[in-house]
Amino acid sequence: MTRFARWTPGGWIVIIGLLVIPMTVRAQHVQGVEKTGRIARLEAALGALKYPMAVRIGPGKDRYVLDSGNGRLLVIGNNGKVKHNWPIDMPGKSQFEAGADIAVDKSGNVYVADAVNSRIVKYSGVGKRLLVIGKPGEINGPLGLAVTDDGSLIVADTNGHSVVVYDATGKLVRRFGSEGTGPGNLRYPHGIALDAKGNIYVADFLNDRVSVFDPKGTPVRTFGGSGKDPGNRRTPGSRCSPPRAPSHRSWRAPGRGQRHSITRSRWRSRPTVR
């Protein structure tokens, strides 16, 4: 589903399909703004949200909210009430340190990007763990996910400067993109979206553009670019969060003047000390 995002002083405004959803990190809640202008606030009835990182519209128009700071995923019905609330934190070595993104397939299964542990975990719609995707070395710090109608998973391999495609069983099918600035190149890709034809739109973070590929990974076009003029982008990110580190504990995007570091339960930014 196509997604766009814009930063405002109150937080990120995310457009998903026909909904405009401001995800306000400070206020720790999610709101839906209908096309008529009516605001529908999605309250977490079982407790306040903490650092919500992503939201998706799934089957039956249920809202799937990645409540990253609380280590859980909420499924909120069309009536605004919580239908499911299950943890994504696991004990020991398999523990999530920060959920970065989610995708929902047509059956209601949920894919969670575990950026620190460089893997994707697939759950049923009620929280049963079904599959771990990403063998060691296959992906590095994934920050964006999308799923096709046939169940293929499209992953922004952020530290690998590429896009990785897995089939419905979790087998790696193809990889495309490489670090650089030319056609087909990527630099720290973040969010991913698909159109009706299966074309893949990638937020090409450090190239300040959106790169478009066909379903086989062939470059189609780019749009945006550095600058503040209409149509340009300045470090396009993903859905609902400021730029954040992939799997590294601490890193600095060249020329951005901000160092991004990760704690166990949340991402944070601090000024770079030169």
mmCIF file of all heavy atoms in Angstrom, residues 8 41 80 102 115 195 258:
data_model
loop_
_atom_site.group_PDB
_atom_site.id
_atom_site.type_symbol
_atom_site.label_atom_id
_atom_site.label_comp_id
_atom_site.label_asym_id
_atom_site.label_seq_id
_atom_site.Cartn_x
_atom_site.Cartn_y
_atom_site.Cartn_z
ATOM 1 N N THR A 8 6.140 17.420 10.758
ATOM 2 C CA THR A 8 5.639 18.690 11.251
ATOM 3 C C THR A 8 6.178 18.866 12.657
ATOM 4 O O THR A 8 6.653 17.904 13.272
ATOM 5 C CB THR A 8 4.101 18.730 11.284
ATOM 6 O OG1 THR A 8 3.634 17.860 12.327
ATOM 7 C CG2 THR A 8 3.510 18.300 9.954
ATOM 8 N N ARG A 41 -9.386 9.171 16.780
ATOM 9 C CA ARG A 41 -8.188 8.854 17.567
ATOM 10 C C ARG A 41 -8.192 7.386 17.935
ATOM 11 O O ARG A 41 -9.174 6.861 18.447
ATOM 12 C CB ARG A 41 -8.154 9.716 18.826
ATOM 13 C CG ARG A 41 -6.910 9.514 19.666
ATOM 14 C CD ARG A 41 -6.714 10.699 20.583
ATOM 15 N NE ARG A 41 -5.699 10.445 21.580
ATOM 16 C CZ ARG A 41 -5.186 11.383 22.350
ATOM 17 N NH1 ARG A 41 -5.604 12.624 22.222
ATOM 18 N NH2 ARG A 41 -4.260 11.101 23.246
ATOM 19 N N GLY A 80 -12.224 1.284 16.746
ATOM 20 C CA GLY A 80 -11.278 1.941 17.628
ATOM 21 C C GLY A 80 -10.903 1.152 18.865
ATOM 22 O O GLY A 80 -10.091 1.617 19.668
ATOM 23 N N ILE A 102 6.709 -2.731 10.182
ATOM 24 C CA ILE A 102 5.860 -3.909 10.043
ATOM 25 C C ILE A 102 5.246 -3.926 8.659
ATOM 26 O O ILE A 102 5.160 -2.908 7.969
ATOM 27 C CB ILE A 102 4.731 -3.955 11.099
ATOM 28 C CG1 ILE A 102 3.863 -2.692 11.033
ATOM 29 C CG2 ILE A 102 5.295 -4.170 12.488
ATOM 30 C CD1 ILE A 102 2.645 -2.747 11.955
ATOM 31 N N ALA A 115 15.632 -4.683 13.357
ATOM 32 C CA ALA A 115 16.795 -4.066 12.735
ATOM 33 C C ALA A 115 18.102 -4.452 13.418
ATOM 34 O O ALA A 115 19.110 -4.689 12.756
ATOM 35 C CB ALA A 115 16.640 -2.545 12.729
ATOM 36 N N ASP A 195 3.055 -0.399 -5.746
ATOM 37 C CA ASP A 195 1.848 0.067 -6.417
ATOM 38 C C ASP A 195 1.060 -1.124 -6.947
ATOM 39 O O ASP A 195 1.429 -2.287 -6.719
ATOM 40 C CB ASP A 195 2.173 1.091 -7.503
ATOM 41 C CG ASP A 195 2.966 0.501 -8.685
ATOM 42 O OD1 ASP A 195 3.006 -0.733 -8.832
ATOM 43 O OD2 ASP A 195 3.538 1.300 -9.455
ATOM 44 N N GLN A 258 24.020 14.761 12.760
ATOM 45 C CA GLN A 258 23.342 14.092 13.857
ATOM 46 C C GLN A 258 23.907 12.690 14.001
ATOM 47 O O GLN A 258 24.148 12.010 13.013
ATOM 48 C CB GLN A 258 21.832 13.987 13.606
ATOM 49 C CG GLN A 258 21.089 15.308 13.715
ATOM 50 C CD GLN A 258 20.925 15.708 15.170
ATOM 51 O OE1 GLN A 258 20.637 14.874 16.012
ATOM 52 N NE2 GLN A 258 21.100 16.970 15.451
#
